[in-house]
Amino acid sequence: RQLHILLIAGGKSGEHEVSLSSARGVLAAMPHPTTLAVIAKDGKWLLGEAARRALEAGVAEQGEHPFPPPVPWHGFDAAFPLLHGRWGEDGTIQGFFEFLGLPYVGAGVAASAVCMDKDLCKRVLQQAGIPVVPWVTFYHGESTPEPHFRPPYFVKPANTGSSVGVSKVRADQDGQSALEEAFRWDHKALVEMGLEGVRELEVALLGNIHAEASVVGEITYASEFYDYETKYTEGRAQLHIPAPIPAELSRRIRELAVEAYRVLGVRGLARVDFFLAEGGTLYLNELNTMPGFTPTSMYPKLWQASGLAYPELLDRLVRLALG
Ligand code: ATP
Ligand code: MG
Ligand code: MG
Ligand code: MG
């Protein structure tokens, strides 16, 4: 059966452009009739031709329709909120779909919200016995006396993605300005122990609560860390699929990822990211409940390498939304 899908892209977060490039890929390969809606950076929506033009432009500064826009919600079988970051990946739009009674791709309200908040997510994972990098949390306006970790350490907004607002603080750098940068994006920030010579390993999960795991992939790059520029500038980062790691480590990563997914109650999909520190300690860094989704993004590539092609993956996701 053909399903009519409402694809929503763009959004108000710092990952607006990333979302639009994900949407170009999804729209081109989706094996179901799909209607596009774009949320501009000002939070207003673009529909019909205006949405198509925004997708081609790769950015929409201003929208036309304030929320809720005049979309025939009940004419769709499922919504696909292909939105990254706050107001999209954080449970807010998921709550709106719940109210409408409209099935949607991806995690529900609670799992989206908790996975988006790095502080809350790490607390849940820690309680479940899943290893996470040591950190402390500050709200904007609280005094942040001494540095809690030896440099280099990391400072991040609690709710972020694509490394927006994330800083690595070296011994010769100012931790306060890193915190100020993080607070530009959120009222809560994390200061995290920095891992030296870290390897970044990622696995793609698919399923409702009980997920299947893809092969494990690795990302390498020449920059200081995997920052926004490195993520989205052609040629700066290399994806290695499968990751050149021992089978035993790959098994442990997949096992931890599936367990974290279950503990957090994730539906649909997640890209689960790990850090392998020098010395071999493995940490779960985060779960991204709406990962980058262009055909060259890690999430679809991991599935492709595991035998699931991009259009089939989209079909599976839409069906999981109804399941
Ligand atoms: P995504 O785009 O995957 O959603 P994000 O914005 O949620 O990313 P993180 O994954 O937490 O942010 O951090 C971005 C990058 O910063 C990591 O991929 C890694 O390169 C570096 N990094 C973050 N925390 C640490 C740490 N504690 N030690 C070493 N490197 C780190
Ligand atoms: Mg993230
Ligand atoms: Mg993300
Ligand atoms: Mg990350």
Side-chain angles (χ1 to χ4, degrees), residues 210-284:
H210 301 280
E212 286 172 57
S214 71
V215 298
V216 177
E218 178 167 18
I219 295 149
T220 58
Y221 45 82
S223 45
E224 272 282 316
F225 70 99
Y226 196 27
D227 58 8
Y228 188 93
E229 264 209 86
T230 311
K231 283 177 180 171
Y232 302 113
T233 311
E234 187 74 41
R236 292 281 183 88
Q238 288 75 45
L239 309 188
H240 309 270
I241 303 172
I245 53 172
E248 171 57 27
L249 178 58
S250 163
R251 199 187 53 79
R252 174 153 166 74
I253 286 172
R254 290 154 50 115
E255 218 171 69
L256 281 174
V258 168
E259 172 63 4
Y261 196 93
R262 196 193 70 85
V263 164
L264 288 155
V266 181
R267 291 168 52 90
L269 73 163
R271 198 193 71 226
V272 187
D273 299 349
F274 290 82
F275 290 147
L276 182 66
E278 268 174 0
T281 310
L282 183 68
Y283 299 95
L284 198 160

Side-chain angles (χ1 to χ4, degrees), residues 15 89 161 288:
E15 293 179 278
E89 196 177 350
N288 288 286

Side-chain angles (χ1 to χ4, degrees), residues 15 89 116 118 122 133-134 153-154 156 160-164 166 168 192-196 198 200 202 221 224-227 231-232 271 273 275 285-286 288:
E15 293 179 278
E89 196 177 350
M116 187 84 269
K118 293 179 184 298
K122 285 165 73 118
V133 182
Y153 56 88
F154 278 79
K156 348 179 159 170
T160 193
S162 291
S163 306
V164 173
V166 177
K168 179 176 184 173
E192 214 173 86
M193 185 179 90
L195 305 171
E196 306 256 35
V198 70
E200 306 210 28
E202 304 189 343
Y221 45 82
E224 272 282 316
F225 70 99
Y226 196 27
D227 58 8
K231 283 177 180 171
Y232 302 113
R271 198 193 71 226
D273 299 349
F275 290 147
N285 174 37
E286 60 163 343
N288 288 286

Side-chain angles (χ1 to χ4, degrees), residues 55-299:
L55 193 72
E56 266 155 49
V59 59
E61 297 292 341
Q62 285 175 0
E64 286 165 13
H65 308 282
F67 187 84
V71 169
W73 307 104
H74 297 288
F76 297 99
D77 295 297
F80 191 157
L82 189 55
L83 300 162
H84 308 303
R86 293 177 76 184
W87 310 290
E89 196 177 350
D90 63 350
T92 50
I93 199 163
Q94 289 77 8
F96 176 66
F97 296 141
E98 293 285 347
F99 251 83
L100 285 172
L102 177 61
Y104 53 95
V105 171
V109 174
S112 297
V114 174
C115 289
M116 187 84 269
D117 183 318
K118 293 179 184 298
D119 174 55
L120 295 182
C121 190
K122 285 165 73 118
R123 288 177 197 275
V124 173
L125 293 174
Q126 198 172 44
Q127 198 282 334
I130 294 168
V132 294
V133 182
W135 85 105
V136 288
T137 306
F138 296 105
Y139 284 94
H140 190 216
E142 287 178 353
S143 66
T144 51
E146 71 280 1
H148 288 74
F149 302 104
R150 264 189 299 137
Y153 56 88
F154 278 79
V155 179
K156 348 179 159 170
N159 293 273
T160 193
S162 291
S163 306
V164 173
V166 177
S167 305
K168 179 176 184 173
V169 181
R170 293 192 315 255
D172 60 337
Q173 288 172 323
D174 177 20
Q176 274 312 317
S177 59
L179 270 167
E180 277 162 32
E181 169 61 16
F183 286 133
R184 282 184 53 213
W185 300 95
D186 196 355
H187 64 298
K188 179 157 78 164
L190 283 75
V191 177
E192 214 173 86
M193 185 179 90
L195 305 171
E196 306 256 35
V198 70
R199 289 180 72 181
E200 306 210 28
L201 302 163
E202 304 189 343
V203 61
L205 298 200
L206 182 64
N208 288 341
I209 316 286
H210 301 280
E212 286 172 57
S214 71
V215 298
V216 177
E218 178 167 18
I219 295 149
T220 58
Y221 45 82
S223 45
E224 272 282 316
F225 70 99
Y226 196 27
D227 58 8
Y228 188 93
E229 264 209 86
T230 311
K231 283 177 180 171
Y232 302 113
T233 311
E234 187 74 41
R236 292 281 183 88
Q238 288 75 45
L239 309 188
H240 309 270
I241 303 172
I245 53 172
E248 171 57 27
L249 178 58
S250 163
R251 199 187 53 79
R252 174 153 166 74
I253 286 172
R254 290 154 50 115
E255 218 171 69
L256 281 174
V258 168
E259 172 63 4
Y261 196 93
R262 196 193 70 85
V263 164
L264 288 155
V266 181
R267 291 168 52 90
L269 73 163
R271 198 193 71 226
V272 187
D273 299 349
F274 290 82
F275 290 147
L276 182 66
E278 268 174 0
T281 310
L282 183 68
Y283 299 95
L284 198 160
N285 174 37
E286 60 163 343
L287 292 91
N288 288 286
T289 54
M290 194 52 76
F293 224 105
T294 72
T296 56
S297 296
M298 187 58 123
Y299 184 87

